[in-house]
Amino acid sequence: MTHTQSTKTTATTAIYSLTIAPACVLRGQKALAQAGDAIARFGKRPLIVGGSNSLAAAQPYLQPILEQQQLQSAHTAYGKDCSEISLETLREAVQTHQADFIIGIGGGKALDAAKLVAHQCKMAIVTIPTSAATCAAWTALSNIYSEQGAFQYDVTLTRCPDLLILDYGLIQTAPQRTLVAGIGDAIAKWYEASVSSGHSEQTMIIAAVQQARILRDILFQKSATALKEPGSETWQEVTDAVVLLAGVIGGIGGAQCRTVAAHAVHNGLTHLLASHGTLHGEKVAYGILVQLRLEEMLQNNQLAATARQQLLKFYAEIGLPQTLDNLGLGDVSLTQLQRAAEIACNPNSDIHRLPFKVVPEQLMAAMVSTTAPVGELRIKN
């Protein structure tokens, strides 16, 4: 075989698939009211999937459009979690209604369930977030939980949503806490992407890591003002950062720019019943501190120590959790903590994207020392 042929063979076997962005994003103060034509081009019989609260909140916004476009819609609540049982119920609802496309309305779990059922039924999907708590409206990914709310696994979808409608008026009806949680989830992108992929020489990954840095800077500069002025231009910029730009980073950079230790800690914590009163982004925000603590303790990384102190100040300013106690897990037993740490360190966990090895005992030490003064409790490798 000649050198040319051999190179050609290598090039054709290494195929990288990127699902970068929704086909169309409509955003604005009354985006939903003007989205009728864009929604109607997907079919005539949408199944609207959401949480019961989200369906109620979005009804006044959506109903006029459904009537104006003469769409025969049916509504179904996804249940308590995006679980295998709730997905089965949703697939049955698709059959019963003879739906020809899906509209997902709500927070992360509702949108994950809607996206996944659309993927399984090979249908178009429109996502309408009702809060800025995650970037789920953007991504080609769904997380599956148990009926008890424990993270199980994620599913990569063949494409991002066909249409994303970001209606600032609708987002503003959500409690402020959801935007705070969204800021925690989004800012994690920098701390995770930079540690796992900061040294990459691949063009798209370099782009994703730099976007993550820009996202972090926007959030540091604008979050406090945005939370004081809901609906303002700054608030809209932060909403865009959390719902849209955070999604771009995972899209361009792929899995290794999406989740590392902060999300692995979140996944472990979901297995503790006491953690279910807190939001996804709140657990992820705490997970960033844990990740930085690991870098400090296991690598004596001074930059991580400085970054942790900077984040602790930022968290205090906007109301993100800094400790297990802040997450309502102050009374968690050592056995429970160990269980969460073991799940976070399982062989397939994203924590292993860190450039060093982590075992559950080290993770537990980091989990209980997120606010430690710099230089304390260093563990030798």
mmCIF file of all heavy atoms in Angstrom, residues 212-249:
data_model
loop_
_atom_site.group_PDB
_atom_site.id
_atom_site.type_symbol
_atom_site.label_atom_id
_atom_site.label_comp_id
_atom_site.label_asym_id
_atom_site.label_seq_id
_atom_site.Cartn_x
_atom_site.Cartn_y
_atom_site.Cartn_z
ATOM 1 N N ALA A 212 -15.853 29.255 26.360
ATOM 2 C CA ALA A 212 -16.154 29.003 27.776
ATOM 3 C C ALA A 212 -15.552 30.098 28.649
ATOM 4 O O ALA A 212 -16.153 30.528 29.639
ATOM 5 C CB ALA A 212 -15.622 27.626 28.186
ATOM 6 N N ARG A 213 -14.369 30.577 28.262
ATOM 7 C CA ARG A 213 -13.738 31.670 29.013
ATOM 8 C C ARG A 213 -14.562 32.954 28.867
ATOM 9 O O ARG A 213 -14.797 33.683 29.835
ATOM 10 C CB ARG A 213 -12.308 31.889 28.502
ATOM 11 C CG ARG A 213 -11.523 32.928 29.289
ATOM 12 C CD ARG A 213 -10.077 33.005 28.810
ATOM 13 N NE ARG A 213 -9.990 33.249 27.380
ATOM 14 C CZ ARG A 213 -10.165 34.442 26.803
ATOM 15 N NH1 ARG A 213 -10.460 35.503 27.529
ATOM 16 N NH2 ARG A 213 -10.045 34.579 25.487
ATOM 17 N N ILE A 214 -15.024 33.212 27.649
ATOM 18 C CA ILE A 214 -15.869 34.397 27.404
ATOM 19 C C ILE A 214 -17.156 34.300 28.219
ATOM 20 O O ILE A 214 -17.602 35.266 28.841
ATOM 21 C CB ILE A 214 -16.183 34.520 25.892
ATOM 22 C CG1 ILE A 214 -14.907 34.903 25.130
ATOM 23 C CG2 ILE A 214 -17.300 35.530 25.636
ATOM 24 C CD1 ILE A 214 -14.983 34.686 23.640
ATOM 25 N N LEU A 215 -17.748 33.105 28.243
ATOM 26 C CA LEU A 215 -18.979 32.879 29.007
ATOM 27 C C LEU A 215 -18.742 33.175 30.487
ATOM 28 O O LEU A 215 -19.534 33.878 31.130
ATOM 29 C CB LEU A 215 -19.443 31.425 28.813
ATOM 30 C CG LEU A 215 -20.639 30.945 29.640
ATOM 31 C CD1 LEU A 215 -21.876 31.778 29.378
ATOM 32 C CD2 LEU A 215 -20.941 29.480 29.344
ATOM 33 N N ARG A 216 -17.639 32.655 31.032
ATOM 34 C CA ARG A 216 -17.318 32.924 32.444
ATOM 35 C C ARG A 216 -17.197 34.427 32.699
ATOM 36 O O ARG A 216 -17.750 34.960 33.665
ATOM 37 C CB ARG A 216 -15.987 32.230 32.797
ATOM 38 C CG ARG A 216 -15.519 32.488 34.226
ATOM 39 C CD ARG A 216 -14.025 32.312 34.373
ATOM 40 N NE ARG A 216 -13.286 33.289 33.560
ATOM 41 C CZ ARG A 216 -11.957 33.310 33.483
ATOM 42 N NH1 ARG A 216 -11.231 32.422 34.123
ATOM 43 N NH2 ARG A 216 -11.356 34.234 32.739
ATOM 44 N N ASP A 217 -16.490 35.140 31.795
ATOM 45 C CA ASP A 217 -16.278 36.585 31.995
ATOM 46 C C ASP A 217 -17.600 37.352 31.956
ATOM 47 O O ASP A 217 -17.829 38.246 32.777
ATOM 48 C CB ASP A 217 -15.317 37.132 30.933
ATOM 49 C CG ASP A 217 -13.896 36.589 31.121
ATOM 50 O OD1 ASP A 217 -13.633 35.992 32.180
ATOM 51 O OD2 ASP A 217 -13.064 36.759 30.200
ATOM 52 N N ILE A 218 -18.475 36.987 30.999
ATOM 53 C CA ILE A 218 -19.797 37.641 30.915
ATOM 54 C C ILE A 218 -20.552 37.442 32.230
ATOM 55 O O ILE A 218 -21.139 38.378 32.782
ATOM 56 C CB ILE A 218 -20.615 37.067 29.730
ATOM 57 C CG1 ILE A 218 -20.023 37.535 28.391
ATOM 58 C CG2 ILE A 218 -22.093 37.478 29.835
ATOM 59 C CD1 ILE A 218 -20.612 36.833 27.168
ATOM 60 N N LEU A 219 -20.509 36.214 32.753
ATOM 61 C CA LEU A 219 -21.266 35.915 33.976
ATOM 62 C C LEU A 219 -20.679 36.639 35.188
ATOM 63 O O LEU A 219 -21.413 37.160 36.026
ATOM 64 C CB LEU A 219 -21.343 34.398 34.201
ATOM 65 C CG LEU A 219 -22.161 33.654 33.138
ATOM 66 C CD1 LEU A 219 -22.103 32.141 33.362
ATOM 67 C CD2 LEU A 219 -23.619 34.120 33.102
ATOM 68 N N PHE A 220 -19.340 36.686 35.273
ATOM 69 C CA PHE A 220 -18.719 37.436 36.375
ATOM 70 C C PHE A 220 -19.114 38.907 36.320
ATOM 71 O O PHE A 220 -19.403 39.527 37.330
ATOM 72 C CB PHE A 220 -17.182 37.331 36.303
ATOM 73 C CG PHE A 220 -16.600 36.114 36.991
ATOM 74 C CD1 PHE A 220 -15.366 35.617 36.600
ATOM 75 C CD2 PHE A 220 -17.271 35.483 38.032
ATOM 76 C CE1 PHE A 220 -14.822 34.503 37.233
ATOM 77 C CE2 PHE A 220 -16.741 34.372 38.667
ATOM 78 C CZ PHE A 220 -15.504 33.882 38.268
ATOM 79 N N GLN A 221 -19.132 39.471 35.120
ATOM 80 C CA GLN A 221 -19.367 40.913 34.981
ATOM 81 C C GLN A 221 -20.832 41.301 35.122
ATOM 82 O O GLN A 221 -21.149 42.376 35.632
ATOM 83 C CB GLN A 221 -18.853 41.395 33.616
ATOM 84 C CG GLN A 221 -17.335 41.403 33.507
ATOM 85 C CD GLN A 221 -16.857 41.355 32.051
ATOM 86 O OE1 GLN A 221 -17.628 41.625 31.129
ATOM 87 N NE2 GLN A 221 -15.615 40.984 31.843
ATOM 88 N N LYS A 222 -21.739 40.435 34.661
ATOM 89 C CA LYS A 222 -23.129 40.884 34.508
ATOM 90 C C LYS A 222 -24.149 40.237 35.448
ATOM 91 O O LYS A 222 -25.265 40.736 35.563
ATOM 92 C CB LYS A 222 -23.582 40.651 33.056
ATOM 93 C CG LYS A 222 -22.753 41.423 32.037
ATOM 94 C CD LYS A 222 -23.341 41.350 30.638
ATOM 95 C CE LYS A 222 -22.568 42.238 29.674
ATOM 96 N NZ LYS A 222 -23.174 42.307 28.352
ATOM 97 N N SER A 223 -23.796 39.129 36.102
ATOM 98 C CA SER A 223 -24.808 38.379 36.865
ATOM 99 C C SER A 223 -25.448 39.186 37.983
ATOM 100 O O SER A 223 -26.673 39.204 38.120
ATOM 101 C CB SER A 223 -24.205 37.092 37.446
ATOM 102 O OG SER A 223 -23.860 36.213 36.406
ATOM 103 N N ALA A 224 -24.617 39.848 38.793
ATOM 104 C CA ALA A 224 -25.172 40.573 39.955
ATOM 105 C C ALA A 224 -26.176 41.636 39.506
ATOM 106 O O ALA A 224 -27.273 41.754 40.058
ATOM 107 C CB ALA A 224 -24.042 41.194 40.772
ATOM 108 N N THR A 225 -25.825 42.398 38.464
ATOM 109 C CA THR A 225 -26.732 43.437 37.933
ATOM 110 C C THR A 225 -27.995 42.801 37.364
ATOM 111 O O THR A 225 -29.110 43.285 37.593
ATOM 112 C CB THR A 225 -26.017 44.246 36.815
ATOM 113 O OG1 THR A 225 -24.777 44.705 37.342
ATOM 114 C CG2 THR A 225 -26.846 45.420 36.351
ATOM 115 N N ALA A 226 -27.820 41.716 36.606
ATOM 116 C CA ALA A 226 -28.971 41.042 35.980
ATOM 117 C C ALA A 226 -29.982 40.600 37.036
ATOM 118 O O ALA A 226 -31.195 40.750 36.846
ATOM 119 C CB ALA A 226 -28.487 39.833 35.183
ATOM 120 N N LEU A 227 -29.492 40.076 38.153
ATOM 121 C CA LEU A 227 -30.396 39.573 39.192
ATOM 122 C C LEU A 227 -31.117 40.723 39.907
ATOM 123 O O LEU A 227 -32.232 40.547 40.391
ATOM 124 C CB LEU A 227 -29.614 38.713 40.192
ATOM 125 C CG LEU A 227 -29.079 37.389 39.597
ATOM 126 C CD1 LEU A 227 -28.033 36.764 40.497
ATOM 127 C CD2 LEU A 227 -30.211 36.408 39.322
ATOM 128 N N LYS A 228 -30.481 41.901 39.925
ATOM 129 C CA LYS A 228 -31.133 43.062 40.546
ATOM 130 C C LYS A 228 -32.165 43.682 39.609
ATOM 131 O O LYS A 228 -33.059 44.403 40.043
ATOM 132 C CB LYS A 228 -30.088 44.128 40.902
ATOM 133 C CG LYS A 228 -29.238 43.769 42.109
ATOM 134 C CD LYS A 228 -28.358 44.967 42.519
ATOM 135 C CE LYS A 228 -27.258 44.566 43.479
ATOM 136 N NZ LYS A 228 -26.004 44.206 42.792
ATOM 137 N N GLU A 229 -32.004 43.443 38.292
ATOM 138 C CA GLU A 229 -32.880 44.094 37.299
ATOM 139 C C GLU A 229 -33.514 43.083 36.353
ATOM 140 O O GLU A 229 -33.176 43.034 35.164
ATOM 141 C CB GLU A 229 -32.044 45.101 36.481
ATOM 142 C CG GLU A 229 -31.377 46.176 37.304
ATOM 143 C CD GLU A 229 -30.315 46.953 36.521
ATOM 144 O OE1 GLU A 229 -30.149 46.697 35.296
ATOM 145 O OE2 GLU A 229 -29.649 47.804 37.134
ATOM 146 N N PRO A 230 -34.420 42.236 36.863
ATOM 147 C CA PRO A 230 -35.033 41.214 35.996
ATOM 148 C C PRO A 230 -35.715 41.857 34.792
ATOM 149 O O PRO A 230 -36.373 42.893 34.925
ATOM 150 C CB PRO A 230 -36.068 40.538 36.904
ATOM 151 C CG PRO A 230 -35.632 40.867 38.291
ATOM 152 C CD PRO A 230 -34.943 42.190 38.222
ATOM 153 N N GLY A 231 -35.511 41.280 33.621
ATOM 154 C CA GLY A 231 -36.136 41.799 32.406
ATOM 155 C C GLY A 231 -35.307 42.846 31.687
ATOM 156 O O GLY A 231 -35.574 43.163 30.529
ATOM 157 N N SER A 232 -34.279 43.388 32.368
ATOM 158 C CA SER A 232 -33.455 44.438 31.760
ATOM 159 C C SER A 232 -32.589 43.861 30.639
ATOM 160 O O SER A 232 -32.513 42.647 30.463
ATOM 161 C CB SER A 232 -32.531 45.062 32.812
ATOM 162 O OG SER A 232 -31.588 44.076 33.240
ATOM 163 N N GLU A 233 -31.900 44.758 29.940
ATOM 164 C CA GLU A 233 -31.014 44.314 28.863
ATOM 165 C C GLU A 233 -29.911 43.401 29.405
ATOM 166 O O GLU A 233 -29.580 42.372 28.814
ATOM 167 C CB GLU A 233 -30.399 45.540 28.183
ATOM 168 C CG GLU A 233 -29.997 45.253 26.750
ATOM 169 C CD GLU A 233 -29.624 46.525 25.989
ATOM 170 O OE1 GLU A 233 -30.484 47.409 25.827
ATOM 171 O OE2 GLU A 233 -28.461 46.603 25.598
ATOM 172 N N THR A 234 -29.350 43.764 30.556
ATOM 173 C CA THR A 234 -28.290 42.942 31.174
ATOM 174 C C THR A 234 -28.844 41.572 31.542
ATOM 175 O O THR A 234 -28.188 40.544 31.335
ATOM 176 C CB THR A 234 -27.726 43.651 32.435
ATOM 177 O OG1 THR A 234 -27.307 44.960 32.055
ATOM 178 C CG2 THR A 234 -26.550 42.897 33.014
ATOM 179 N N TRP A 235 -30.052 41.539 32.091
ATOM 180 C CA TRP A 235 -30.714 40.267 32.437
ATOM 181 C C TRP A 235 -30.886 39.405 31.182
ATOM 182 O O TRP A 235 -30.663 38.184 31.218
ATOM 183 C CB TRP A 235 -32.062 40.578 33.082
ATOM 184 C CG TRP A 235 -32.885 39.381 33.437
ATOM 185 C CD1 TRP A 235 -32.867 38.690 34.617
ATOM 186 C CD2 TRP A 235 -33.861 38.723 32.598
ATOM 187 N NE1 TRP A 235 -33.773 37.647 34.566
ATOM 188 C CE2 TRP A 235 -34.385 37.646 33.342
ATOM 189 C CE3 TRP A 235 -34.323 38.944 31.302
ATOM 190 C CZ2 TRP A 235 -35.356 36.778 32.836
ATOM 191 C CZ3 TRP A 235 -35.292 38.089 30.786
ATOM 192 C CH2 TRP A 235 -35.801 37.027 31.541
ATOM 193 N N GLN A 236 -31.257 40.039 30.059
ATOM 194 C CA GLN A 236 -31.411 39.293 28.806
ATOM 195 C C GLN A 236 -30.072 38.731 28.336
ATOM 196 O O GLN A 236 -30.003 37.604 27.842
ATOM 197 C CB GLN A 236 -32.016 40.194 27.719
ATOM 198 C CG GLN A 236 -33.480 40.543 27.990
ATOM 199 C CD GLN A 236 -34.073 41.463 26.924
ATOM 200 O OE1 GLN A 236 -33.502 41.672 25.865
ATOM 201 N NE2 GLN A 236 -35.251 42.012 27.210
ATOM 202 N N GLU A 237 -28.992 39.529 28.506
ATOM 203 C CA GLU A 237 -27.658 39.059 28.094
ATOM 204 C C GLU A 237 -27.247 37.827 28.912
ATOM 205 O O GLU A 237 -26.670 36.875 28.387
ATOM 206 C CB GLU A 237 -26.598 40.160 28.276
ATOM 207 C CG GLU A 237 -26.811 41.423 27.455
ATOM 208 C CD GLU A 237 -26.885 41.178 25.955
ATOM 209 O OE1 GLU A 237 -26.478 40.098 25.495
ATOM 210 O OE2 GLU A 237 -27.361 42.077 25.232
ATOM 211 N N VAL A 238 -27.535 37.864 30.203
ATOM 212 C CA VAL A 238 -27.175 36.726 31.070
ATOM 213 C C VAL A 238 -28.031 35.507 30.715
ATOM 214 O O VAL A 238 -27.537 34.376 30.657
ATOM 215 C CB VAL A 238 -27.298 37.122 32.568
ATOM 216 C CG1 VAL A 238 -27.188 35.903 33.482
ATOM 217 C CG2 VAL A 238 -26.208 38.134 32.913
ATOM 218 N N THR A 239 -29.304 35.733 30.430
ATOM 219 C CA THR A 239 -30.182 34.634 29.993
ATOM 220 C C THR A 239 -29.644 34.010 28.705
ATOM 221 O O THR A 239 -29.558 32.779 28.587
ATOM 222 C CB THR A 239 -31.625 35.160 29.799
ATOM 223 O OG1 THR A 239 -32.103 35.631 31.064
ATOM 224 C CG2 THR A 239 -32.559 34.077 29.284
ATOM 225 N N ASP A 240 -29.244 34.848 27.750
ATOM 226 C CA ASP A 240 -28.639 34.343 26.507
ATOM 227 C C ASP A 240 -27.383 33.522 26.805
ATOM 228 O O ASP A 240 -27.142 32.478 26.193
ATOM 229 C CB ASP A 240 -28.241 35.503 25.582
ATOM 230 C CG ASP A 240 -29.434 36.117 24.858
ATOM 231 O OD1 ASP A 240 -30.549 35.584 24.985
ATOM 232 O OD2 ASP A 240 -29.240 37.132 24.154
ATOM 233 N N ALA A 241 -26.571 34.017 27.729
ATOM 234 C CA ALA A 241 -25.314 33.332 28.072
ATOM 235 C C ALA A 241 -25.592 31.934 28.622
ATOM 236 O O ALA A 241 -24.950 30.957 28.243
ATOM 237 C CB ALA A 241 -24.545 34.161 29.100
ATOM 238 N N VAL A 242 -26.589 31.854 29.492
ATOM 239 C CA VAL A 242 -26.888 30.593 30.186
ATOM 240 C C VAL A 242 -27.598 29.582 29.270
ATOM 241 O O VAL A 242 -27.252 28.404 29.238
ATOM 242 C CB VAL A 242 -27.758 30.901 31.432
ATOM 243 C CG1 VAL A 242 -28.308 29.627 32.046
ATOM 244 C CG2 VAL A 242 -26.939 31.677 32.458
ATOM 245 N N VAL A 243 -28.594 30.062 28.517
ATOM 246 C CA VAL A 243 -29.409 29.133 27.727
ATOM 247 C C VAL A 243 -28.763 28.832 26.374
ATOM 248 O O VAL A 243 -28.820 27.707 25.884
ATOM 249 C CB VAL A 243 -30.840 29.702 27.517
ATOM 250 C CG1 VAL A 243 -31.699 28.734 26.708
ATOM 251 C CG2 VAL A 243 -31.509 29.990 28.860
ATOM 252 N N LEU A 244 -28.134 29.858 25.760
ATOM 253 C CA LEU A 244 -27.629 29.703 24.389
ATOM 254 C C LEU A 244 -26.123 29.460 24.337
ATOM 255 O O LEU A 244 -25.672 28.438 23.812
ATOM 256 C CB LEU A 244 -27.980 30.947 23.554
ATOM 257 C CG LEU A 244 -29.464 31.394 23.576
ATOM 258 C CD1 LEU A 244 -29.648 32.643 22.726
ATOM 259 C CD2 LEU A 244 -30.392 30.280 23.092
ATOM 260 N N LEU A 245 -25.331 30.397 24.886
ATOM 261 C CA LEU A 245 -23.876 30.281 24.735
ATOM 262 C C LEU A 245 -23.331 29.022 25.414
ATOM 263 O O LEU A 245 -22.429 28.363 24.885
ATOM 264 C CB LEU A 245 -23.183 31.540 25.287
ATOM 265 C CG LEU A 245 -21.662 31.616 25.109
ATOM 266 C CD1 LEU A 245 -21.230 31.383 23.664
ATOM 267 C CD2 LEU A 245 -21.119 32.953 25.608
ATOM 268 N N ALA A 246 -23.890 28.661 26.558
ATOM 269 C CA ALA A 246 -23.447 27.432 27.241
ATOM 270 C C ALA A 246 -23.663 26.216 26.329
ATOM 271 O O ALA A 246 -22.846 25.296 26.292
ATOM 272 C CB ALA A 246 -24.201 27.254 28.553
ATOM 273 N N GLY A 247 -24.771 26.226 25.576
ATOM 274 C CA GLY A 247 -25.046 25.134 24.641
ATOM 275 C C GLY A 247 -24.066 25.102 23.481
ATOM 276 O O GLY A 247 -23.647 24.032 23.026
ATOM 277 N N VAL A 248 -23.668 26.291 23.003
ATOM 278 C CA VAL A 248 -22.713 26.388 21.890
ATOM 279 C C VAL A 248 -21.417 25.648 22.243
ATOM 280 O O VAL A 248 -20.843 24.931 21.422
ATOM 281 C CB VAL A 248 -22.366 27.878 21.586
ATOM 282 C CG1 VAL A 248 -21.251 27.989 20.555
ATOM 283 C CG2 VAL A 248 -23.599 28.629 21.106
ATOM 284 N N ILE A 249 -20.959 25.812 23.492
ATOM 285 C CA ILE A 249 -19.664 25.263 23.910
ATOM 286 C C ILE A 249 -19.658 23.739 23.840
ATOM 287 O O ILE A 249 -18.747 23.132 23.280
ATOM 288 C CB ILE A 249 -19.306 25.779 25.323
ATOM 289 C CG1 ILE A 249 -19.046 27.288 25.240
ATOM 290 C CG2 ILE A 249 -18.109 25.041 25.908
ATOM 291 C CD1 ILE A 249 -19.268 28.035 26.526
#
